[in-house]
Amino acid sequence: MSAFIESVRAALRTKRYSLQTEKSYLAWIRSFIRFHDLKHPTDLFNEEIEQFLSHLAMNRQVSAATQNQALCALIFMYKHVVKREITGLKYSFTKKPRRMPTVLDVQEVSTIIGFMKGKYRLIAALLYGSGLRINEALRLRIKDIDFTNKTVFVFRGKGGKDRYTLLPQKLVEPIKQQIEVSKKVHKRDLEDGFGLTSLPPSLIRKYGNAAKDTAWQYLFTSSTRCEHPHDGYVCRHHIHQTAFRKNLRTAVVASGINKRVTAHTFRHSFATQLLLGGTDIRTVQDLLGHSDVRTTEIYTHVIGSRFSGTASPLDNLAY
């Protein structure tokens, strides 16, 4: 069965899927095969797919998004590897419930960031100050910071879109200090005969030794070198999301703030604070990298601008 899994991996890489998607899809496909006692997918049809999806919903009680991801993985496998279209399934993609994002006020942000230290504090400040997603912040390279124009360049954000966003003045010096840390790490790598940064698949053949340039190094470099998962060369990647999440969780607990705070909460808070400060919604849309302004409009609901000037009837009641 490992040969089949490798054929799925090859198809994913041919289609230029991200490494994270590759890992997720392969995990779901392995789970599907194990659920059916290691039968080959060519011998499994709609009924078996429906049984697996029912198992996820009923026994494992996964979320709608997780169930959709599993279905996407199976559809990809059958379409591109088994070469069979999946039609007539009793299951369709589950609609995710629309939830209002959790946001923090200025004092809450200040308190949480105050309990964070070092590079993790700087990452949190970038999430809030520039409206970055966590993976966008971790993938920043030295060349992406423009101190002259006070901008941060986001390369291939969600949906593969490039964009510029704000570089807060307060972060200029901390980022310069972090760049010096990355330069020192890079210098040691070069002295050890390495120095290549991690690049998207196949770009190493385009850039070659240019990938050793300081400008290409990650702002938040990993503490260890690794083998590139696609191209096999030894490189240095950025720090992992889990390291930041652990530090953030510790800070939230220490702050005593009773909200569910994730890395993305800082991005939500960035958007709401801009709108509260009078920034027009189109500008906020561009800074966040949203394709549709309707996605950005959810923040107007969060801050209650739709109800501006509307008094509750209870406030007029004498009791």
Side-chain angles (χ1 to χ4, degrees), residues 217-233:
Q217 305 308 306
Y218 283 111
L219 184 60
F220 303 105
T221 56
S222 171
S223 59
T224 58
R225 292 186 289 263
C226 64
E227 184 176 295
H228 193 282
H230 284 213
D231 297 320
Y233 60 93

Side-chain angles (χ1 to χ4, degrees), residues 122 145 147 150 169 171-183 219:
L122 177 55
I145 309 299
F147 293 110
K150 299 294 189 298
Q169 179 62 42
L171 296 186
V172 169
E173 284 307 314
I175 288 177
K176 286 182 177 179
Q177 294 171 17
Q178 183 61 33
I179 287 174
E180 290 305 312
V181 172
S182 295
K183 285 182 176 179
L219 184 60

Side-chain angles (χ1 to χ4, degrees), residues 79-309:
K79 181 177 181 179
H80 298 290
V81 182
V82 179
K83 306 297 183 184
R84 189 170 80 215
E85 292 286 346
I86 299 299
T87 58
L89 273 180
K90 294 179 182 177
Y91 281 84
S92 59
F93 288 105
T94 306
K95 187 175 181 180
K96 294 166 59 177
R98 186 180 182 186
R99 297 188 178 93
M100 288 294 176
T102 300
V103 297
L104 302 169
D105 62 34
V106 174
Q107 185 55 52
E108 288 171 331
V109 171
S110 177
T111 301
I112 292 172
I113 293 179
F115 279 104
M116 304 183 79
K117 300 185 184 301
K119 57 190 174 187
Y120 301 112
R121 181 172 184 159
L122 177 55
I123 292 168
L126 268 170
L127 298 179
Y128 178 66
S130 303
L132 299 176
R133 301 175 177 92
I134 181 61
N135 62 338
E136 294 171 346
L138 297 182
R139 290 175 185 169
L140 287 176
R141 301 178 190 270
I142 292 174
K143 67 180 183 61
D144 296 332
I145 309 299
D146 186 339
F147 293 110
T148 302
N149 295 309
K150 299 294 189 298
T151 60
V152 175
F153 175 62
V154 179
F155 175 69
R156 292 184 187 174
K158 189 174 182 180
K161 300 187 294 291
D162 297 345
R163 75 178 191 279
Y164 286 95
T165 187
L166 308 174
L167 173 62
Q169 179 62 42
K170 284 188 175 181
L171 296 186
V172 169
E173 284 307 314
I175 288 177
K176 286 182 177 179
Q177 294 171 17
Q178 183 61 33
I179 287 174
E180 290 305 312
V181 172
S182 295
K183 285 182 176 179
K184 288 179 182 177
V185 172
H186 182 49
K187 182 180 178 182
R188 290 199 301 269
D189 284 346
L190 291 172
E191 291 171 350
D192 292 341
F194 298 98
L196 289 170
T197 188
S198 173
L199 292 174
S202 302
L203 280 185
I204 190 65
R205 287 189 284 276
K206 178 179 180 180
Y207 292 106
N209 281 333
K212 290 186 177 181
D213 292 349
T214 301
W216 279 96
Q217 305 308 306
Y218 283 111
L219 184 60
F220 303 105
T221 56
S222 171
S223 59
T224 58
R225 292 186 289 263
C226 64
E227 184 176 295
H228 193 282
H230 284 213
D231 297 320
Y233 60 93
V234 176
C235 59
R236 191 175 289 275
H237 203 52
H238 56 69
I239 64 173
H240 200 275
Q241 289 187 28
T242 54
F244 175 79
R245 287 175 184 149
K246 289 177 182 177
N247 196 275
L248 174 60
R249 175 59 184 163
T250 301
V252 172
V253 171
S255 72
I257 293 171
N258 297 315
K259 291 182 178 179
R260 181 179 178 272
V261 179
T262 67
H264 215 67
T265 305
F266 291 108
R267 177 174 159 89
H268 294 321
S269 304
F270 165 85
T272 54
Q273 288 302 319
L274 286 182
L275 291 170
L276 286 169
T279 305
D280 69 273
I281 195 166
R282 292 290 182 179
T283 300
V284 177
Q285 177 191 358
D286 289 341
L287 292 173
L288 292 173
H290 288 161
S291 299
D292 193 329
V293 73
R294 287 177 294 183
T295 306
T296 317
E297 284 175 349
I298 192 171
Y299 298 110
T300 64
H301 300 298
V302 173
I303 63 177
S305 63
R306 292 176 63 208
F307 313 119
S308 179

Side-chain angles (χ1 to χ4, degrees), residues 26-44:
L26 291 179
W28 284 121
I29 291 167
R30 289 190 185 101
S31 181
F32 174 66
I33 293 170
R34 285 194 297 267
F35 179 76
H36 289 293
D37 300 322
L38 303 183
K39 291 181 181 177
H40 198 281
T42 54
D43 299 322
L44 302 173

